[in-house]
Amino acid sequence: MLKRAGLNSYPIHSLRHTYVVNLLEAGADIKYIQKQLGHGSQQITSDVYAHLSKKMNKKNTEQVNERLNDVFKGISK
């Protein structure tokens, strides 16, 4: 199918990995991802897939900064 579509061939694991990275970037819960993959524990899922992408790192940094700004606004009043 990939040849007919003019796409490079990749191992099937690449599709699984891409799916999980997209779930993580979309904010899916690690427990949900664990169940999707059929892993026996969240730890396995985290160990294998929970490395941060640039997009996730940026999103998390922004969320922490927003929260800290809210906290400091409350203190300065």
Side-chain angles (χ1 to χ4, degrees), residues 30-31 33-35 38-47:
I30 197 73
K31 184 70 175 174
I33 296 170
Q34 173 214 339
K35 294 293 185 184
H39 288 160
S41 73
Q42 291 180 39
Q43 188 64 46
I44 292 169
T45 307
S46 292
D47 288 348

Side-chain angles (χ1 to χ4, degrees), residues 1 12 62 70:
M1 287 175 52
I12 192 68
E62 288 171 356
D70 289 344

Side-chain angles (χ1 to χ4, degrees), residues 6-54:
L7 299 172
N8 293 330
S9 178
Y10 293 100
I12 192 68
H13 183 75
S14 295
L15 179 60
R16 179 179 171 102
H17 182 77
T18 300
Y19 172 65
V20 173
V21 170
N22 280 293
L23 286 173
L24 288 166
E25 288 182 347
D29 183 77
I30 197 73
K31 184 70 175 174
Y32 172 79
I33 296 170
Q34 173 214 339
K35 294 293 185 184
Q36 289 285 301
L37 298 176
H39 288 160
S41 73
Q42 291 180 39
Q43 188 64 46
I44 292 169
T45 307
S46 292
D47 288 348
V48 176
Y49 291 101
H51 54 297
L52 290 175
S53 71
K54 288 180 183 178

